[in-house]
Amino acid sequence: MMNKLTQDMQGKVCVVTGAARGLGRAISERLAGAGAKRVYVCDINLAPAHAWLEQYPNITGVELDVCDPAALAQLSARIVADHGRVDVLVNNAGITRDALLDKMTASDWDLVLNVNLKGVFLVTQAMYSLMKVQMQGAIVTISSIVGTDGNIGQSNYAASKGGVIAMTKGWAKEFARGGAQIRANCIAPGFINTEMTRAVPEKVLEKMTARIPLGRLGEPRDIAEGVLFLASDRARYITGQVLKIDGGLVL
Ligand code: NAP
């Protein structure tokens, strides 16, 4: 339900990708609870969202594949028609297809890079075209500690998550030209309790948890709080940064 602790999103129009469940859901609920005028919850499969979307009068569900430029053009047109602007983009959609390098297929490489890297490029391009006109906006992209530190069996995923950090740093410079107040930042989660993590073998997860100084996996709301901060005007002088939220795992 709505979290009224802050009103940081008052009047803001937000877009969150991959938001039907997991981190995207928690992020969307947090933005909506912080007073967003509208949160567009975009996902390739909206089915898991039907039960919770209706609790929020300020959330709209949109079936959207981040790799589909035609669907993105439709989303932009809809947002312009409904609100004439977009204030916050959260690039959250992401997938894994893990395998050791000698077993990783080229199609698994392509699939992960396509959704996690090209998808972020395409969605940001679509939303930036609106932000550019306003000269204002905040983009938060969900990377991973794997994007800075690598991980066994995740060549494709690490490349995609490192790639979004590099793009974000470039965007921080590019999007601020001419005095524009358009900020771009990343969040790098550690191991968070979602379906994506539940795919990790139990033993690996136990070992990993033992290495986390704060002694537990993260919860989706731990990430949502970071996103809310970076998306809000409280972070108005922060751009091009990567905020790790990992319980101290990578120091
Ligand atoms: P999740 O539970 O697997 O949810 C991801 C959502 O994205 C799903 O609803 C999925 O739909 C959707 N999606 C997949 N491909 C899409 C596409 N092409 N277009 C639009 N939506 C698409 O994942 P999560 O754990 O919440 O992770 C969210 C983000 O955080 C990802 O970028 C992930 O890499 C990153 N991250 C997660 C962790 C973690 O520990 N969980 C750690 C570091 C980073 P389907 O239901 O159809 O698959």
Side-chain angles (χ1 to χ4, degrees):
M1 287 301 290
M2 289 223 193
N3 185 337
K4 294 272 187 196
L5 280 178
T6 68
Q7 290 294 305
D8 284 339
M9 288 295 114
Q10 197 78 52
K12 295 197 189 280
V13 177
C14 310
V15 170
V16 186
T17 66
R21 59 188 172 88
L23 300 188
R25 172 184 173 175
I27 292 163
S28 301
E29 290 187 291
R30 192 67 190 90
L31 297 176
K37 186 175 182 193
R38 177 79 22 210
V39 180
Y40 290 91
V41 160
C42 306
D43 203 291
I44 197 167
N45 171 24
L46 264 188
H50 289 143
W52 63 269
L53 279 183
E54 58 200 33
Q55 295 171 27
Y56 295 89
N58 53 347
I59 290 186
T60 301
V62 179
E63 203 133 274
L64 176 121
D65 177 351
V66 293
C67 300
D68 181 351
L72 285 164
Q74 268 181 15
L75 175 66
S76 296
R78 179 176 180 178
I79 292 171
V80 169
D82 289 354
H83 302 287
R85 62 181 294 113
V86 64
D87 300 287
V88 172
L89 165 63
V90 184
N91 286 308
N92 169 77
I95 60 169
T96 53
R97 292 292 182 279
D98 297 351
L100 296 174
L101 184 66
D102 48 4
K103 300 241 168 56
M104 187 171 282
T105 64
S107 69
D108 280 348
W109 170 272
D110 288 343
L111 201 59
V112 169
L113 270 290
N114 209 31
V115 175
N116 296 10
L117 189 59
K118 189 176 178 189
V120 170
F121 155 70
L122 290 172
V123 179
T124 304
Q125 195 174 50
M127 293 303 120
Y128 174 63
S129 68
L130 308 186
M131 291 178 179
K132 191 177 173 183
V133 177
Q134 317 155 180
M135 303 275 284
Q136 187 273 335
I139 298 160
V140 182
T141 298
I142 309 300
S143 175
S144 166
I145 52 168
V146 171
T148 53
D149 288 66
N151 198 19
I152 293 169
Q154 292 198 307
S155 305
N156 49 3
Y157 186 75
S160 70
K161 293 300 185 181
V164 299
I165 291 174
M167 284 202 296
T168 294
K169 292 187 179 194
W171 291 340
K173 298 171 185 172
E174 186 175 326
F175 296 173
R177 286 171 306 152
Q181 299 298 299
I182 302 172
R183 302 179 295 103
N185 292 289
C186 282
I187 289 200
F191 288 88
I192 314 300
N193 191 12
T194 68
E195 277 175 50
M196 183 178 272
T197 314
R198 287 193 269 281
V200 177
E202 181 98 17
K203 276 199 173 150
V204 177
L205 220 49
E206 270 171 24
K207 267 193 193 165
M208 201 54 81
T209 308
R211 286 179 41 214
I212 300 172
L214 289 180
R216 63 168 175 88
L217 295 184
E219 292 300 327
R221 68 192 173 100
D222 296 325
I223 304 304
E225 288 302 327
V227 172
L228 175 63
F229 171 65
L230 287 176
S232 77
D233 295 340
R234 283 187 290 146
R236 66 184 189 174
Y237 201 54
I238 300 176
T239 194
Q241 301 304 307
V242 182
L243 174 62
K244 277 184 205 149
I245 303 181
D246 66 350
L249 180 59
V250 175
L251 293 173

